[in-house]
Amino acid sequence: EEEKDMKKRLVVALAVMSIAVAGLTACGGSEKKETTAETEAIAEYERGTSSETGWESAWMGLKFTAGEGVVMEDEAAMDELLAVGSEELGNDVEDLEGLYTYEMMASDETMGIPSVAMLVEKSPLTPEEYFDQMLEQLEDASTSIEMTQEGDITDYELGGMTFKRLQLNASSQGVEMIQDYLICQRGDYLIEVIVTALSDQVEERDAMLASFSALE
């Protein structure tokens, strides 16, 4: 039981630390993205809605269905987790306020892992630029979690949308984890999906991703 609690604390710290890093990455982009006819045609961002059974967004045309044993986190829980991640990075949670909007967060009801979080932020960066700055932030951050990149950035289809996918390996106190960052550019916004799992939970991680589908 004590080992399980330790793993859960580490997993929570990793998951929300990555969200905190994502927020700090947003601070790095200062040049305004050029507006095109394509971006103008995309409606202004509207936040989706969550319930105990899932989440959906008309703006993205995307939904998430919580499977058996998966719980949807409420806004208060997400704010609390963000504070843990900020502390791990040695920052005040106030530094991240207003940088992005939580869309949803879901996790295994027993271990808290696998977990998935989605955020939307208005950013001048492309997904590739975002990943470059995020990796620099992780390299410079002094934390108890060691993170290394696994393979190249690839395309990944999620509910009919094409995301750029970056995979990381993470370890701390003997616990090995995997983390997937998926980023999609939609108009002036970046949609960010962060999935965290133990290294032996590949099937469970894939099932969490498969819970996303197109909104009909």
Side-chain angles (χ1 to χ4, degrees):
E1 188 68 29
E2 183 177 345
E3 181 181 358
K4 182 185 292 186
D5 289 342
M6 181 190 74
K7 284 186 177 181
K8 186 172 182 178
R9 287 195 299 271
L10 285 172
V11 166
V12 167
L14 172 61
V16 294
M17 183 187 74
S18 61
I19 296 173
V21 169
L24 292 175
T25 300
C27 301
S30 57
E31 294 185 7
K32 186 176 180 181
K33 187 188 301 178
E34 182 180 356
T35 300
T36 65
E38 182 179 359
T39 60
E40 288 179 345
I42 296 175
E44 189 71 11
Y45 166 65
E46 290 186 8
R47 191 176 189 179
T49 57
S50 291
S51 67
E52 292 183 356
T53 58
W55 159 91
E56 62 180 43
S57 167
W59 181 73
M60 298 181 210
L62 195 65
K63 68 178 181 179
F64 178 89
T65 304
E68 185 177 354
V70 175
V71 295
M72 303 295 298
E73 305 287 357
D74 59 24
E75 187 173 345
M78 290 190 286
D79 288 343
E80 182 178 352
L81 294 177
L82 180 59
V84 176
S86 300
E87 182 180 352
E88 175 70 22
L89 285 170
N91 296 287
D92 293 329
V93 68
E94 288 79 9
D95 295 339
L96 307 177
E97 290 181 354
L99 293 177
Y100 47 72
T101 301
Y102 277 118
E103 275 290 341
M104 55 80 68
M105 182 181 287
S107 63
D108 177 85
E109 64 180 349
T110 303
M111 282 286 295
I113 186 170
S115 68
V116 59
M118 176 183 283
L119 307 99
V120 174
E121 69 175 79
K122 199 165 188 176
S123 172
L125 304 176
T126 65
E128 292 82 0
E129 292 170 339
Y130 194 97
F131 281 141
D132 286 343
Q133 292 199 19
M134 188 190 76
L135 289 171
E136 289 180 8
Q137 292 282 0
L138 287 171
E139 185 176 347
D140 294 340
S142 176
T143 76
S144 62
I145 300 174
E146 181 180 352
M147 305 184 73
T148 57
Q149 183 174 346
E150 175 72 20
D152 297 327
I153 295 172
T154 58
D155 288 340
Y156 187 84
E157 295 295 321
L158 191 73
M161 300 177 68
T162 301
F163 285 73
K164 292 295 182 181
R165 183 185 194 182
L166 171 68
Q167 296 180 286
L168 299 176
N169 294 320
S171 62
S172 180
Q173 301 180 39
V175 179
E176 301 294 328
M177 292 167 281
I178 52 177
Q179 192 160 54
D180 290 64
Y181 283 85
L182 283 73
I183 298 183
C184 177
Q185 192 169 353
R186 182 166 175 77
D188 291 330
Y189 298 86
L190 292 180
I191 303 166
E192 302 152 20
V193 179
I194 305 166
V195 185
T196 305
L198 295 174
S199 58
D200 60 356
Q201 290 183 318
V202 174
E203 290 185 6
E204 292 88 342
R205 183 273 314 273
D206 292 344
M208 190 72 80
L209 285 169
S211 297
F212 287 95
S213 60
L215 180 63
E216 298 178 357

